[in-house]
């Protein structure tokens, strides 16, 4: 039985912009993912698990021919509604599962999948499908949350120490380093690389944001003057770019391995 909520919307996803570190994380994750897809006029780009379609729309606005594929009826309806009001190029919206993409082999120049692979029940098959529908020499871009980031490790250690010292019972409810209920996989860099490398020749691995969600840091950033806070967040983001194992999100770019371009 597949355990996927086809009526879900984004209300259970962390709201962007609630804290400065969240704002930086979500903005950079989007910027980096979309840039690595190399959007340009005439390029065909597939957005897998496109959600309510904001990334597909942004890629289309840059001139690309975009298809947003998404199984959720509610998300797809939302994307159609929003794009009907947009001016300029509009993506094509297709209902479809990531592990059985309804497209011919090699029909895209690039495929992206942002913040969604850990929601998939068959992530490796999904990556194989993205490799299949991307032309030889094209690129597959995967943006995945890292649950072994520096912030997760620090927060885990901090909570364990606090509980030991105070003797209090572990805090109830989900901590930011706990995998959400709607995720199937808890990713770290090793697992991302391992799964991606089965279908892709990896050409880049970039980290995004450092320290996100670690309470003392999140609160300190809120107290700093705004310009200084964003300079600090950008500096850590630059460190994360070169140290993906510590980063809050990892973006992997790969070319389809020959095996996966046929079918
Ligand atoms: C957190 S949302 C991310 C949406 C979008 N990529 C973004 O960055 O806003 C995860 C998406 O994965 C979709 N999803 C869950 N399981 C899926 C599957 N097996 N194949 C394709 N999409 C799936 C959900 O419907 C949801 O739209």
């Amino acid at each position: 039985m597949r355990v996927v909520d086809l009526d879900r919307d984004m209300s259970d996803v962390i709201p962007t912009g609630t804290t400065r570190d969240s704002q930086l994380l979500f903005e950079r994750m989007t910027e980096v993912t979309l840039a690595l897809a190399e959007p340009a006029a005439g390029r065909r780009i597939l957005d897998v698990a496109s959600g309510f379609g904001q990334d597909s729309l942004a890629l289309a606005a840059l001139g690309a021919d975009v298809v947003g594929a998404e199984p959720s009826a509610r998300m797809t309806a939302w994307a159609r509604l929003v794009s009907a009001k947009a001016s300029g190029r509009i993506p094509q919206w297709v209902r479809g599962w990531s592990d059985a993409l309804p497209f011919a082999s090699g029909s895209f120049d690039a495929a992206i999948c942002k913040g969604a692979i850990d929601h998939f029940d068959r992530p490796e098959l999904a990556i194989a499908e993205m490799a299949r529908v991307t032309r030889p020499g094209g690129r597959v871009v995967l943006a995945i949350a890292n649950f072994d980031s520096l912030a997760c490790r620090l927060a885990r250690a901090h909570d364990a120490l606090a509980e030991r010292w105070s003797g209090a019972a572990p805090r109830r409810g989900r901590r930011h380093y706990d995998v959400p209920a709607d995720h199937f996989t808890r990713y770290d860099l090793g697992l991302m690389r391992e799964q991606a490398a089965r279908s892709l020749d990896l050409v880049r691995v970039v980290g995004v944001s450092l320290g996100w969600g670690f309470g003392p840091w999140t609160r300190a950033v809120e107290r700093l003057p705004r310009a200084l806070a964003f300079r600090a967040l950008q500096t850590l983001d630059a460190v994360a770019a070169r140290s993906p194992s510590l980063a809050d999100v990892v973006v992997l770019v790969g070319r389809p391995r020959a095996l996966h371009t046929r079918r």
Side-chain angles (χ1 to χ4, degrees), residues 8 10 49 51 54-55 70-72 75 97-98 114-115 119-120:
R8 84 190 286 276
M10 299 291 273
Q54 78 287 0
D55 295 331
E70 165 61 50
S72 157
M75 298 275 220
W97 295 102
S98 54
K114 187 186 121 239
H119 292 254
F120 298 171

Side-chain angles (χ1 to χ4, degrees), residues 14-203:
I14 303 154
T16 59
T18 48
T19 57
R20 288 167 172 173
D21 62 345
S22 289
Q23 188 185 334
L24 187 288
L25 170 74
F26 287 102
E27 280 176 11
R28 287 293 297 149
M29 179 179 175
T30 301
E31 269 170 28
V32 171
T33 307
L34 301 195
L36 287 170
E38 299 182 332
R43 261 174 81 76
R44 268 181 69 72
I45 302 181
L46 173 64
D47 181 6
V48 174
S50 48
F52 61 75
Q54 78 287 0
D55 295 331
S56 299
L57 271 167
L59 290 166
L62 294 167
D65 294 327
V66 184
V67 177
E70 165 61 50
S72 157
R74 185 179 293 194
M75 298 275 220
T76 308
W78 191 345
R80 288 207 170 101
L81 206 69
V82 172
S83 62
K85 293 182 200 143
S87 54
R89 299 182 78 82
I90 301 296
Q92 188 192 338
W93 305 112
V94 172
R95 295 277 305 281
W97 295 102
S98 54
D99 49 84
L101 292 170
F103 309 108
S105 300
S107 47
F108 294 93
D109 297 299
I112 68 163
C113 182
K114 187 186 121 239
I117 281 194
D118 36 20
H119 292 254
F120 298 171
D121 50 341
R122 297 170 189 157
E124 287 179 82
L125 201 49
I127 300 169
E129 275 292 88
M130 286 181 242
R132 179 185 66 79
V133 302
T134 302
R135 68 168 168 78
R139 41 177 53 205
V140 175
V141 183
L142 310 172
I144 310 175
N146 178 15
F147 279 86
D148 201 32
S149 65
L150 179 65
C152 287
R153 290 183 227 173
L154 287 175
R156 246 183 250 124
H158 175 273
D159 288 356
L161 264 181
E163 280 157 20
R164 196 167 314 150
W165 276 343
S166 69
R171 191 155 53 89
R172 291 174 71 88
R174 191 177 86 79
R175 279 80 52 103
H176 93 285
Y177 50 81
D178 294 327
V179 175
D182 60 350
H183 283 202
F184 279 87
T185 311
R186 177 194 181 282
Y187 279 101
D188 59 22
L189 181 60
L191 184 59
M192 295 174 202
R193 279 183 174 279
E194 186 188 316
Q195 290 193 351
R198 295 212 174 107
S199 306
L200 305 170
D201 291 322
L202 289 176
V203 292

